[in-house]
């Protein structure tokens, strides 16, 4: 799994960077308490990579002492449902992929490629075809930039979470916070959705569930950029590892609201660099997700995508086109409303889920 | 990101031009375009298949093969069928005879139920109902608070005995709410429920329990208009799991094509009652099937144009004209008739506004003056039948007489005749190159440049009169002046 650098915590913050190397070698990786994974996982969860880093990666003069950590294991689990309720028919594959929101072009492309691969390999049995498709999808979905950028040591990491209304931004933040807290990170949340009714309270509930600090507006309707600024300020003054800023949902065709994101960015950048801008996309969305990603990428410099609600019947095939067309990595997935229903996006796990033998519920 | 359906269809139609009839293969080509457009608009595949099947059946039938413009007729059928599904049994909210009327909201997470509850409450209040909001979403953090804030904003009380966040029984809350509403004489009860997945059996059972407890007059299924292929599954799950009496489409202020509307309407058979079009509490309106149909097809109002054109043009008449043009028998009488047809179509500006992608022609038409037609009529009416059918006989004396008879000047008569000659020439060209398959096939419209080829030729001709007679040249140039020059050479046969 991905390794991250977080602030080294002792009784007192350590200022001298020299200690880092020593600490990294001396201290074992923070103990990983595996989350109980749902018993009936659709696919076999991939084994966590055990290989331990012998030598620490050279750290670029971080401002603060850091240590290398993993995050507790989370799995897509039951998240992805199989595409197939019966044996694969190559001629039906295109339709099946369309039904999974891959889009007309991608569906054609993938099914053609599978046909070619099957021809080449002389594969024809159901099992062979499934394996080929799994490998094909895994290959096409795998990217080198899928890890959360929590390893450059520029603490606190600031994550901005954006997306259309109801996509799952606030929930994602709650889950991510809990996860980081479980890995012993210090988390500050910023309630920069000062628009929607009770949005601040909603984030506050998640903050308390996740045991994170919260910065909210001092008065109703306060400028979200100023909340973002104060969030970073608190993160800095309390030596937090990470600040996650929730923003109001906005439809990508509303220019004023989109411009507001630029303002929020600038407010953050007055004090810290932005580690990630996560665009939250609801898996039940169809082709409009592409328009969403395009617009948000333009104004907010999106660095990664979170696909939520993969626990439903939606297959989230649009993530394929999101990666291909917009060159944005899918980094995280949401698979439920619970605080632990969350995982790194694993192309292999996703592909396995899609080709699994299980019947759709 | 994608070419829209009208662009794609016009490509297909280009190949069909000049064909009197569509073969089954032609129709299949058109249907492929339609299928793709519908899929890109996120109509679920299952629904697309059913839909294109229906179109194919009708397209192969009589109405199309007999139509003068079969390809356009296909689009017309598509639109009809879309509207039939989207607006099939359009109806208003139904109110109970024994108040309170109970409205239950149901849908996926994040579809916009709570906001809609606030809008609905405001709207009902403005119609002198006394609504009560019920906070039965005890699942999502602070959904109760959100409803309370909205209730306060719109001045509608909120029944919220439980704080939510996973605590409390929504079935009991709903049941108590009805008793409370009866006692306190509220006229409408709006029950906001938690978002749920169709596959979440436990939550679907809870929804049924709420339904049984409140016996709703309406179960409104709240659907995000950005929904993709999953719309069919979701619609089935809610339709079978809870029952759906009406649909509300949300987030229509976005730029999604909204194909989910078609999927959901097809699967549930329930009418779409409202559109939710923004975050403000007034952003709420009745659902308009026409708008939705054009939105899904991404066709501008092209179909309305077709309808309008079809009403106004006598197709047989257009056909006759086309034949005459081809035989070089185009007369001033025909010219007049065409002008009158254009007039019948109503405001040209309005019509042009409906056409996507005809900027050029639009500009031209913006400068179009209906008074021009009246003047033309007057002049031609002052001609004898011989003059109308054989304009060659129009010498100076005749022109003088006509000017006097029509209350115009000789210059104006000259201008008209010059325009007529140009129109006749151009139409001959067009007629030889094959008739574009456009509604009504009216040469007057084709001359407008927006539809037809041959535009460049006319531009050249319009540079000015080459007449050796200075007076005549001036007159003809003047004639061009109120026509083509102003319209920046876009080449109308009529100088419109
Ligand atoms: N089933 C499921 N529901 C989810 C998931 N993520 C979020 N939700 C639900 O989706 C709904 C909307 O989530 P929010 O986190 O409030 O979404 P948001 O993007 O913050 O919404 P706004 O701030 O209103 O734009 C809530 O009911 C969540 O519980 C997921 O992965 N699976
Ligand atoms: Mg939110």
């Amino acid at each position: 799994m991905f390794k991250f650098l977080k602030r080294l915590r002792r009784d007192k913050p350590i200022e001298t960077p020299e200690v880092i190397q020593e600490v990294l070698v001396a201290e074992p990786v923070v103990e990983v308490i595996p989350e109980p994974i749902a018993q009936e996982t659709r696919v076999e969860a991939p084994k966590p990579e055990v290989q331990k880093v012998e030598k620490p990666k050279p750290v670029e003069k971080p401002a603060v002492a850091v240590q290398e950590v993993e995050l507790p294991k989370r799995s897509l689990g039951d998240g992805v449902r199989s595409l197939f309720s019966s044996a694969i028919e190559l001629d039906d594959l295109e339709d099946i992929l369309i039904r999974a929101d891959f889009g007309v072009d991608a569906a054609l492309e993938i099914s053609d490629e599978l046909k070619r691969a099957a021809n080449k390999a002389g594969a024809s049995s159901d099992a062979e075809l499934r394996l080929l498709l799994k490998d094909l999808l895994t290959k096409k979905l795998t990217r080198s930039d899928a890890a959360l950028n929590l390893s450059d040591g520029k603490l606190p990491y600031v994550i901005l979470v954006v997306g259309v209304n109801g996509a799952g931004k606030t929930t994602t933040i709650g889950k991510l916070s809990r996860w980081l807290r479980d890995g012993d990170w210090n988390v500050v949340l910023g309630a920069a959705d000062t628009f929607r009714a009770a949005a601040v309270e909603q984030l506050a509930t998640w903050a308390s569930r996740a045991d994170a600090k919260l910065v909210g507006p001092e008065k109703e309707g306060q400028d979200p950029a100023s909340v973002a600024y104060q969030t970073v300020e608190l993160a800095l003054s309390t030596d937090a590892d990470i600040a996650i800023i929730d923003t109001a949902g906005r439809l990508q065709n509303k220019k004023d609201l989109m411009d507001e994101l630029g303002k929020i960015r600038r407010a953050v950048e007055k004090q810290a660099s932005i580690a990630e801008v996560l665009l939250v996309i609801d898996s039940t969305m169809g082709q409009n997700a592409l328009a969403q990603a395009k617009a948000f990428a333009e104004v907010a410099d999106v660095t990664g995508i979170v696909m939520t609600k993969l626990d439903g019947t939606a297959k989230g095939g649009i993530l394929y086109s999101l990666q291909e067309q917009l060159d944005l990595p899918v980094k995280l997935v949401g698979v439920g409303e619970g605080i632990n229903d969350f995982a790194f996006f694993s192309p292999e796990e996703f592909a396995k889920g899609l080709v699994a033998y299980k019947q759709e519920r | 990101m994608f070419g829209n359906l009208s662009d794609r269809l016009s490509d297909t139609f280009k190949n069909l031009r000049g064909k009197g009839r569509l073969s089954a293969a032609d129709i299949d080509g058109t249907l492929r375009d339609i299928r793709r457009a519908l899929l890109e608009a996120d109509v679920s595949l299952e629904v697309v298949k059913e839909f294109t099947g229906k179109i194919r059946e009708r397209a192969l039938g009589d109405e199309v093969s007999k139509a003068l413009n079969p390809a356009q007729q296909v689009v017309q059928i598509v639109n009809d069928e879309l509207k039939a599904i989207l607006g099939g049994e359009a109806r208003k909210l139904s109110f109970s005879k024994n108040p309170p009327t109970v409205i239950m909201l149901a849908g996926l997470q994040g579809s916009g139920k709570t906001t809609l509850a606030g809008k609905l409450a405001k709207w009902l209040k403005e119609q002198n109902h006394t609504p009560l909001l019920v906070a039965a979403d005890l699942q999502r953090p602070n959904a109760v608070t959100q409803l309370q804030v909205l209730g306060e904003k719109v001045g509608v009380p909120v029944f919220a005995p439980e704080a939510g966040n996973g605590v409390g029984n929504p079935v009991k809350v709903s049941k108590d709410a009805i008793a409370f509403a009866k006692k306190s004489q509220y006229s409408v009860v709006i029950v906001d429920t938690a978002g749920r997945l169709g596959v979440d059996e436990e939550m679907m059972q809870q929804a049924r329990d709420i339904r049984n407890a409140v016996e709703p007059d309406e179960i409104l299924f709240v659907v995000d208009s950005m929904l993709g292929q999953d719309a069919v599954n979701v619609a089935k799950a809610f339709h079978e799991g809870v029952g759906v009496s009406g649909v509300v489409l949300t987030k229509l202020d976005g730029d999604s094509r909204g194909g989910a509307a078609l999927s959901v309407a097809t699967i549930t058979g329930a009418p779409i009652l409202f559109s939710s079009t923004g975050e403000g509490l007034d952003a709420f309106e009745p659902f308009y099937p026409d708008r939705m149909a054009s939105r899904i097809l991404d066709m501008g109002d092209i179909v309305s144009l077709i309808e309008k054109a079809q009403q106004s043009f006598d197709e047989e008449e257009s056909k006759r004209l086309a034949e005459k043009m081809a035989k070089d028998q185009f007369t001033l009488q025909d010219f007049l008739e065409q002008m009158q047809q254009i007039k019948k179509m109503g405001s040209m500006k309005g019509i042009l506004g409906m056409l996507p992608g005809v900027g050029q022609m639009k500009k031209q038409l913006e400068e179009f003056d209906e008074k021009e037609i009246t003047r033309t009529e007057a002049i031609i009416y002052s001609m004898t039948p011989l003059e109308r059918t054989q304009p060659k006989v129009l010498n100076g004396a005749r022109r003088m007489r006509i000017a006097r008879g029509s209350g115009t000047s000789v210059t104006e008569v000259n201008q008209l005749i010059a325009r007529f000659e140009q129109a006749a020439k151009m139409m001959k060209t067009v007629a030889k190159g094959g008739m574009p398959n456009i509604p009504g096939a009216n040469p007057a419209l084709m001359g407008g440049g927006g539809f037809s080829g041959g535009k460049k030729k006319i531009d050249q001709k319009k540079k000015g009169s080459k007449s050796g007679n200075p007076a005549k040249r001036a007159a003809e140039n003047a004639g061009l002046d109120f026509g083509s020059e102003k319209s920046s050479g876009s080449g109308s046969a009529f100088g419109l």
Side-chain angles (χ1 to χ4, degrees):
Chain A
M1 269 281 105
F2 307 120
K3 294 239 177 6
F4 304 110
L5 291 181
K6 78 170 191 52
R7 192 180 294 271
L8 170 70
R9 220 158 345 262
R10 289 205 178 152
D11 291 341
K12 275 181 197 154
I14 294 160
E15 304 295 343
T16 40
E18 294 86 67
V19 201
I20 300 158
Q21 300 296 327
E22 180 205 312
V23 168
L24 278 169
V25 180
E27 287 220 345
V29 163
V30 163
E31 203 188 342
V32 173
I33 305 150
E35 275 300 307
I37 299 162
Q39 287 302 299
E40 276 178 61
T41 37
R42 200 160 285 282
V43 292
E44 210 188 306
K47 303 242 163 14
E49 285 167 45
V50 268
Q51 45 168 146
K52 244 205 88 192
V53 184
E54 296 294 3
K55 261 212 220 151
K57 286 186 205 109
V59 177
E60 258 187 41
K61 290 210 175 154
V64 290
V66 293
Q67 60 184 341
E68 195 172 301
V69 294
E70 278 184 7
L71 283 171
K73 177 87 185 86
R74 297 275 199 279
S75 163
L76 265 173
D78 240 358
V80 197
R81 270 147 227 283
S82 179
L83 293 171
F84 307 100
S85 50
S86 55
I88 294 193
E89 291 290 342
L90 280 178
D91 289 335
D92 295 341
L93 184 60
E94 186 183 336
D95 278 5
I96 284 175
L97 292 170
I98 288 176
R99 283 202 176 91
D101 284 315
F102 276 78
V104 181
D105 293 325
L108 183 64
E109 182 189 304
I110 296 169
S111 79
D112 278 353
E113 264 184 64
L114 184 69
K115 278 179 199 162
R116 255 177 279 139
N119 247 332
K120 205 170 141 210
S124 60
S125 76
D126 184 35
E128 285 170 316
L129 291 176
R130 279 177 205 249
L131 189 64
L132 274 182
L133 180 59
K134 189 213 85 182
D135 289 344
L136 178 69
L137 288 174
T138 306
K139 192 181 94 211
K140 301 199 82 161
L141 289 171
T142 302
R143 300 173 58 107
S144 57
D145 54 357
L148 277 184
N149 173 29
L150 303 178
S151 48
D152 65 8
K154 289 183 194 148
L155 294 153
Y157 301 117
V158 182
I159 300 182
L160 209 58
V161 181
V162 302
V164 297
N165 311 75
K169 294 174 292 301
T170 310
T171 310
T172 295
I173 292 173
K175 295 171 182 175
L176 180 58
S177 307
R178 178 73 256 172
W179 198 13
L180 291 161
R181 286 297 295 135
D182 287 350
D184 200 28
W185 298 58
N186 272 354
V187 184
V188 176
L189 300 184
D193 179 356
T194 58
F195 180 80
R196 208 208 65 198
V200 176
E201 290 85 341
Q202 187 185 353
L203 189 68
T205 300
W206 281 110
S208 76
R209 286 179 184 177
D211 183 27
K213 291 193 201 78
L214 179 82
V215 177
E218 278 145 16
K219 52 179 198 295
E220 220 194 277
Q222 186 183 324
D223 180 10
S226 73
V227 178
Y229 182 88
Q230 287 161 7
T231 307
V232 179
E233 199 169 49
L234 183 75
L236 284 165
S237 68
T238 57
D239 284 337
D241 298 297
I242 195 157
I244 311 177
I245 295 165
D246 189 17
T247 63
R250 65 203 72 220
L251 295 177
Q252 70 276 10
N253 59 339
K254 311 241 154 139
K255 185 158 186 316
D256 291 354
L257 294 178
M258 293 301 278
D259 288 346
E260 188 185 83
L261 290 177
K263 208 175 152 202
I264 295 174
R265 278 193 67 101
R266 288 190 293 280
V268 170
E269 282 168 338
K270 279 186 186 144
Q271 302 178 84
S273 57
I274 296 176
E276 290 275 5
V277 179
L278 296 178
L279 171 64
V280 179
I281 298 226
D282 179 337
S283 301
T284 60
M285 300 291 98
Q287 302 303 306
N288 191 251
L290 290 171
Q292 291 171 25
K294 198 161 174 262
F296 278 97
E298 262 165 35
V299 300
D301 277 328
V302 173
T303 57
I305 289 173
V306 183
M307 295 293 297
T308 60
K309 311 187 195 176
L310 266 175
D311 48 323
T313 34
K315 308 286 191 310
I318 195 70
L319 69 82
Y320 177 89
S321 300
L322 284 170
Q323 292 204 150
E324 294 267 309
Q325 290 187 23
L326 293 150
D327 196 25
L328 285 171
V330 175
K331 297 194 166 179
L332 300 163
V333 291
V335 286
E337 296 186 85
I339 201 159
N340 291 326
D341 297 333
F342 193 55
F344 284 123
F345 175 60
S346 152
E348 167 128 42
E349 231 182 337
F350 182 71
K352 266 189 190 166
L354 288 181
V355 305
Y357 276 106
K358 300 274 167 49
Q359 297 275 321
E360 222 175 89
R361 267 187 300 203
Chain B
M1 207 165 281
F2 312 104
N4 65 22
L5 181 62
S6 30
D7 292 347
R8 210 171 286 143
L9 285 181
S10 28
D11 272 358
T12 310
F13 291 162
K14 228 180 269 156
N15 305 326
L16 299 179
R17 267 187 199 163
K19 281 197 190 181
R21 234 162 243 280
L22 293 189
S23 67
D26 293 335
I27 289 173
D28 283 343
T30 312
L31 285 177
R32 262 195 302 278
D33 287 336
I34 293 169
R35 170 183 183 271
R36 193 187 168 99
L38 293 174
L39 287 172
E40 278 169 6
D42 285 324
V43 181
S44 303
L45 184 63
E46 186 178 326
V47 173
V48 171
K49 283 186 173 165
E50 191 184 318
F51 187 78
T52 47
K54 233 184 277 169
I55 304 295
R56 190 181 147 84
E57 216 167 90
R58 275 188 65 185
L60 286 171
D62 257 11
E63 56 182 324
V64 173
S65 53
K66 279 202 190 124
L68 179 64
N69 308 296
Q72 296 290 3
Q73 188 70 29
V74 173
V75 179
Q76 181 67 58
I77 293 173
V78 172
N79 193 57
D80 288 351
E81 290 290 330
L82 271 180
K83 277 201 295 195
I85 297 172
L86 292 172
E89 312 151 50
R91 65 166 179 87
K92 298 216 161 70
L93 210 54
S94 57
F95 290 98
S96 165
K97 289 202 180 64
N98 323 305
T101 296
V102 179
I103 303 172
M104 172 177 169
L105 305 182
L108 290 177
Q109 291 95 340
S111 59
K113 289 174 295 302
T114 309
T115 308
L116 179 78
K119 292 178 181 181
L120 203 52
K122 179 166 195 284
W123 181 74
L124 287 166
K125 192 182 165 207
E126 281 162 3
Q127 297 176 44
N128 297 322
H129 290 282
T130 47
L132 173 72
L133 285 162
V134 181
D137 176 357
L138 305 180
Q139 195 76 21
R140 208 204 67 199
N142 299 83
V144 174
T145 337
Q146 187 184 351
L147 195 66
Q148 279 167 330
V149 173
L150 293 175
E152 198 170 306
K153 268 194 194 152
V154 301
V156 170
V158 180
F159 186 80
E162 298 280 3
N165 293 3
V167 181
N169 178 353
V171 182
K172 181 169 188 309
V173 168
S174 307
K175 199 171 188 167
D176 293 350
I178 302 299
F180 175 76
K182 277 187 181 145
K183 200 179 77 203
S184 319
Q185 307 207 323
Y186 287 99
S187 67
V188 186
V189 180
I190 304 165
V191 185
D192 181 27
T193 67
R196 64 202 72 222
L197 294 170
V199 284
D200 190 334
E201 242 328 296
E202 203 179 307
M203 287 296 281
M204 292 307 278
Q205 183 57 48
Q206 182 201 76
R208 278 190 291 277
D209 292 344
I210 294 177
R211 179 196 64 195
N212 297 342
V214 303
E215 294 175 6
D217 301 281
E218 292 276 10
I219 303 175
L220 298 185
F221 180 37
V222 183
V223 182
D224 189 324
S225 58
M226 297 183 280
L227 213 57
Q229 290 290 319
D230 199 38
V232 270
N233 303 323
V234 176
K236 269 182 204 153
F238 278 84
H239 190 53
E240 287 160 15
V242 200
V244 170
S245 74
V247 177
V248 182
L249 276 182
T250 64
K251 307 181 199 173
L252 272 171
D253 49 326
D255 59 8
S256 68
R257 301 262 298 280
L262 193 66
S263 308
V264 171
T266 305
I267 298 293
T268 63
I272 303 174
L273 299 181
F274 300 106
S275 327
S276 189
T277 54
E279 296 186 79
L281 290 166
D282 285 317
F284 174 71
E285 43 184 66
F287 175 75
Y288 300 107
D290 295 51
R291 284 191 207 167
M292 200 64 220
S294 349
R295 180 173 178 148
I296 291 175
L297 288 178
D298 192 12
M299 305 251 308
D301 268 343
I302 194 165
V303 186
S304 325
L305 172 73
I306 294 166
E307 269 169 8
K308 214 163 176 181
Q310 274 173 347
Q311 282 160 14
S312 312
F313 283 114
D314 175 355
E315 291 190 352
E316 286 304 312
E317 177 61 15
S318 297
K319 212 169 184 172
R320 190 182 62 78
L321 271 177
E323 279 159 13
K324 284 185 95 173
M325 273 159 44
K327 287 187 206 131
D328 201 7
Q329 290 171 357
F330 189 63
T331 67
L332 270 163
Q333 182 64 38
D334 301 322
F335 184 78
L336 176 65
E337 281 167 17
Q338 279 177 32
M339 280 286 205
Q340 285 165 337
Q341 284 197 331
I342 293 178
K343 203 171 157 192
K344 255 199 278 176
M345 280 177 77
S347 157
M348 291 300 282
K349 289 161 207 167
I351 285 169
L352 257 287
M354 293 178 202
L355 265 178
V358 285
Q360 252 188 338
M361 189 174 175
K362 204 165 173 173
K363 181 162 179 285
Q364 190 178 21
L365 271 246
E366 256 157 31
E367 285 153 22
F368 172 74
D369 183 0
E370 273 190 40
K371 268 183 256 152
E372 241 349 274
I373 292 184
T374 318
R375 200 176 329 168
T376 304
E377 271 173 359
I379 293 174
I380 296 178
Y381 281 144
S382 301
M383 295 178 183
T384 65
L386 175 78
E387 287 162 352
R388 289 187 208 182
T389 49
Q390 293 182 36
K392 271 173 249 141
V393 302
L394 285 166
N395 58 22
R398 284 177 190 264
R399 291 183 192 211
M400 197 102 77
R401 193 206 76 239
I402 293 165
R404 241 182 284 130
S406 59
T408 58
S409 66
V410 176
T411 316
E412 279 167 318
V413 175
N414 287 342
Q415 282 166 358
L416 173 74
I417 293 164
R419 291 212 315 280
F420 161 73
E421 279 165 359
Q422 252 158 0
K425 241 182 257 169
M426 194 200 84
M427 283 169 196
K428 221 162 81 188
T429 320
V430 174
K432 277 179 187 153
M435 280 292 295
N437 235 330
I438 57 158
N442 189 309
L445 260 187
M446 290 176 351
F451 290 107
S452 71
K455 203 176 97 194
K456 285 214 179 87
K457 266 181 209 142
I458 291 140
D459 279 352
Q460 282 161 4
K461 280 184 189 139
K462 292 219 163 177
K463 291 263 158 62
S465 169
K466 301 217 163 60
S467 172
N469 174 341
K472 196 178 163 204
R473 191 168 64 224
E476 287 188 12
N477 286 343
L480 294 175
D481 180 60
F482 74 82
S484 62
E485 264 169 35
K486 237 198 281 171
S487 56
S488 56
S490 43
S492 164
F494 290 85
L496 296 177

